[in-house]
């Protein structure tokens, strides 16, 4: 494969303001390209390379969803199970609404909150902020990020939901709750379960929730634009959990650190229908269930509205079980496959898997916030350029459809 096109693409990203970046592509289970450009740390000239460690933020959700579906395949939980079955403090979950006179009322939800609604972001548990009432209450939950996975879930459960479970889509803290579900069902610490069932089989040797002192020398700095065309170390990026003095705990929706090789192994597993180098993580049937669009009616309209306003580079996508999924190539302006799936991270990481083409993509840069960190420039270009090279790859190693 002629790699010059991808090399030049990464160079352009740096020219567009990204300090440094990495990209890897796998095809039919093998990594066929890995490239780097720019700096992981501008302050000391540390280049972006195979050892660079970065924060993957919401790409953690893809890992957590995979762990949930492993428990599903073992018969230890069902998607329609009430969350209270595993986390009793979610029993009789409350919903809060406001009427036309701005009077607020809190009442017990008509139906219990289910595992499915956590995976599909239809639980009514947003991130903290200053929009809805739940967002304002959950803003204080940031102070609990240093607590255990179970303690954090208990704090989240105290806040009434923004709507009846399953009726709307609102991106938020659902995967922090799922991490606690994993602990309750497996009987193991969240990170231990991931290590045993995902990280070790996939040779993700550098993916963790705690930055050790040994890892710090390879850590990429998260930057932001200073308003004058320059870049400064971000003051808003979520603080890492560092060895000995951590703040962020084992957050199922945003807490992991990784490397480009580890992310590539994970993308390869998804692209190969749940299998990596002989290790079966999930079945192809379960992978296909994850990448189906699970939003209907108002919930799908909610996501489409959010996409147009906040994530325009994901127009044409729906939401599956912990991942975006391509619904319309026309709307997305994509030359990829309907059903390609994955997600991104707030500092610029990107994961994509296409089981039909057996194609996986992992990309990373470290800029904050996601509304102004070049995701809209980099991510769709990575997708389109890689798919544009797929014919050459098929000629070199064979079309997977013909290999069956």
């Amino acid at each position: 494969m002629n790699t010059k096109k991808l090399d030049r693409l990464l160079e352009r990203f740096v020219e567009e303001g990204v300090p440094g970046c990495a990209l890897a592509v796998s095809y039919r289970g093998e990594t066929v390209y890995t490239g780097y450009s720019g700096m992981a740390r501008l302050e000391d000239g540390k280049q972006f390379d195979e050892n660079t460690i970065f924060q993957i933020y919401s790409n953690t959700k893809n890992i957590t969803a995979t762990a949930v579906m492993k428990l599903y395949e073992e018969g230890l939980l069902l998607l329609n199970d009430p969350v209270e079955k595993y986390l009793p403090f979610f029993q009789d979950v409350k919903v809060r609404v406001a009427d036309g006179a701005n009077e607020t009322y809190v009442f017990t939800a008509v139906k219990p909150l289910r595992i499915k609604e956590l995976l599909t972001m239809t639980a009514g548990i947003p991130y903290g902020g200053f929009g809805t009432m739940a967002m304002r209450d959950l803003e204080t939950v940031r102070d609990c990020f240093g607590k255990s996975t179970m303690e954090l879930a208990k704090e989240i459960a105290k806040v009434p939901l923004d709507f009846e479970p399953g009726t709307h889509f609102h991106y938020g803290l659902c995967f922090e709750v799922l991490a606690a579900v994993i602990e309750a069902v497996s009987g193991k610490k969240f990170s231990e379960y991931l290590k045993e069932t995902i990280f070790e089989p996939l040779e993700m040797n550098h993916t963790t929730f705690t930055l050790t002192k040994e890892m710090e020398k390879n850590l990429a700095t998260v930057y932001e634009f200073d308003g004058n065309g320059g870049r400064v170390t971000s003051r808003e990026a979520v603080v890492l959990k560092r060895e000995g003095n951590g703040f962020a705990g084992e957050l199922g929706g945003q807490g992991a650190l990784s490397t480009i090789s580890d992310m590539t192994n994970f993308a390869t597993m998804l692209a190969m229908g749940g299998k990596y180098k002989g290790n079966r993580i999930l079945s192809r049937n379960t992978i296909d269930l994850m990448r189906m669009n699970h939003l209907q009616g108002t919930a799908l309209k909610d996501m489409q509205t959010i996409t147009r306003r906040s994530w325009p580079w994901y127009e044409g996508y729906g939401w599956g079980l912990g991942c975006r999924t391509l619904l319309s190539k026309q709307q997305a302006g994509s030359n990829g496959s309907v059903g390609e799936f994955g997600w991104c991270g707030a500092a610029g990481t990107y994961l994509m898997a296409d089981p039909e083409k057996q194609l996986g993509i992992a990309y990373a840069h470290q800029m904050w916030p996601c509304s102004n960190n070049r995701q809209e420039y980099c991510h769709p270009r990575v997708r389109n350029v890689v798919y544009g090279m797929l014919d050459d790859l098929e000629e070199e190693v064979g079309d997977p459809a013909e290999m069956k």
Side-chain angles (χ1 to χ4, degrees):
M1 181 178 70
N2 187 340
T3 63
K4 291 182 179 179
K5 188 182 293 186
L6 294 176
D7 292 340
R8 179 58 186 140
L9 182 68
L10 297 185
E11 291 170 1
R12 279 211 309 275
F13 291 170
V14 174
E15 292 167 4
E16 287 293 321
V18 173
C21 54
L23 170 66
V25 179
S26 71
Y27 181 64
R28 293 191 58 218
E30 300 293 333
T31 301
V32 295
Y33 173 83
T34 305
Y36 312 91
S37 186
M39 300 293 176
R41 291 196 302 266
L42 297 173
E43 55 269 27
D44 63 5
K46 172 69 174 175
Q47 289 189 319
F48 225 112
D49 59 27
E50 69 275 8
N51 297 314
T52 299
I53 293 167
F54 41 83
Q55 299 176 77
I56 67 173
Y57 290 104
S58 283
N59 274 128
T60 309
K61 293 177 174 66
N62 299 140
I63 297 170
T64 302
T66 299
V68 171
M69 298 312 291
K70 280 193 69 64
L71 296 171
Y72 164 91
E73 283 196 340
E74 293 167 9
L76 295 175
L77 59 75
L78 298 173
L79 298 183
N80 289 329
D81 279 346
V83 176
E84 66 188 56
K85 181 175 181 178
Y86 308 105
L87 305 178
F89 43 86
F90 272 95
Q91 188 172 7
D92 297 326
V93 67
K94 299 296 188 291
V95 178
R96 180 170 48 193
V97 298
D99 65 11
N102 285 326
E103 294 289 340
T104 60
Y105 301 90
V106 176
F107 55 87
T108 301
V110 175
K111 296 181 179 180
L113 176 64
R114 299 177 296 176
I115 302 295
K116 178 191 299 184
E117 279 119 25
L118 294 174
L119 285 164
T120 57
M121 294 291 186
T122 59
I125 305 174
Y127 278 117
F130 302 98
T132 68
M133 289 175 283
M135 289 174 69
R136 292 194 290 271
D137 285 350
L138 287 168
E139 183 67 15
T140 63
V141 170
R142 290 178 184 271
D143 298 332
C144 303
F145 279 1
K147 294 187 175 184
S148 71
T149 301
M150 197 64 65
E151 289 172 328
L152 175 59
K154 288 179 180 178
E155 292 298 321
I156 293 171
K158 295 176 182 178
V159 178
L161 306 179
D162 257 339
F163 46 78
E164 281 286 339
T167 59
H168 291 277
F169 175 90
H170 197 156
Y171 193 73
L173 288 164
C174 297
F175 282 71
E176 278 64 35
V177 178
L178 283 170
V181 170
I182 290 168
E183 289 195 345
V185 174
S186 70
K188 298 176 181 178
K189 189 178 179 183
F190 177 52
S191 59
E192 291 174 355
Y193 183 77
L194 295 184
K195 182 178 180 180
E196 291 177 13
T197 62
I198 298 176
F199 298 159
E200 288 183 347
L202 295 183
E203 300 175 353
M204 297 174 68
N205 301 321
H206 305 287
T207 303
T208 178
F209 287 90
T210 301
L211 182 74
T212 66
K213 296 189 183 302
E214 175 62 24
M215 293 166 62
E216 288 196 25
K217 66 178 183 293
N218 291 315
L219 179 67
T221 300
V222 180
Y223 295 96
E224 62 186 43
F225 291 109
D226 64 6
N228 298 310
R231 293 154 302 190
V232 295
T233 300
S234 175
R235 293 171 294 181
E236 300 297 326
V238 176
V239 178
L240 287 167
K241 181 180 180 183
R242 293 177 183 264
E243 191 174 48
N245 61 345
F247 173 65
E250 295 182 0
L251 306 177
Q254 56 190 296
L257 298 129
S258 194
T259 62
I260 197 67
S261 61
D262 282 15
M263 284 186 65
T264 306
N265 293 354
F266 186 76
T268 299
M269 177 274 294
L270 297 175
M272 296 302 292
K275 193 173 184 180
Y276 175 81
K277 291 186 178 180
N279 289 316
R280 173 67 65 183
I281 306 300
L282 291 174
S283 72
R284 175 60 188 266
N285 286 340
T286 299
I287 292 289
D288 287 345
L289 176 63
M290 291 175 70
R291 68 192 184 104
M292 288 178 177
N293 172 52
H294 286 254
L295 301 182
Q296 303 295 328
T298 302
L300 181 58
K301 291 179 182 178
D302 290 338
M303 183 180 176
Q304 291 170 340
T305 299
I306 293 170
T307 297
R308 285 194 296 271
R309 292 175 179 173
S310 302
W311 312 322
W313 57 96
Y314 282 138
E315 188 171 354
Y317 284 82
W319 189 263
L321 300 177
C323 57
R324 64 159 200 280
T325 182
L326 181 60
L327 296 180
S328 170
K329 296 171 65 171
Q330 299 94 322
Q331 283 185 287
S334 170
N335 57 353
S337 305
V338 170
E340 61 90 340
F341 71 114
W343 194 224
C344 60
T349 54
Y350 171 78
L351 191 79
M352 193 224 76
D354 181 345
E356 301 302 329
K357 299 292 187 180
Q358 298 183 355
L359 177 69
I361 300 174
Y363 168 82
H365 67 241
Q366 296 283 270
M367 293 286 291
W368 193 273
C370 61
S371 59
N372 183 29
N373 73 0
R374 294 296 189 263
Q375 285 197 64
E376 81 292 344
Y377 185 90
C378 300
H379 293 184
R381 284 172 169 80
V382 165
R383 178 198 63 200
N384 296 345
V385 172
V386 171
Y387 270 105
M389 302 175 71
L390 197 55
D391 288 343
D392 293 336
L393 274 173
E394 290 177 351
E395 289 176 3
E396 289 180 20
V397 301
D399 186 339
E402 297 173 357
M403 304 295 290
K404 295 179 180 178

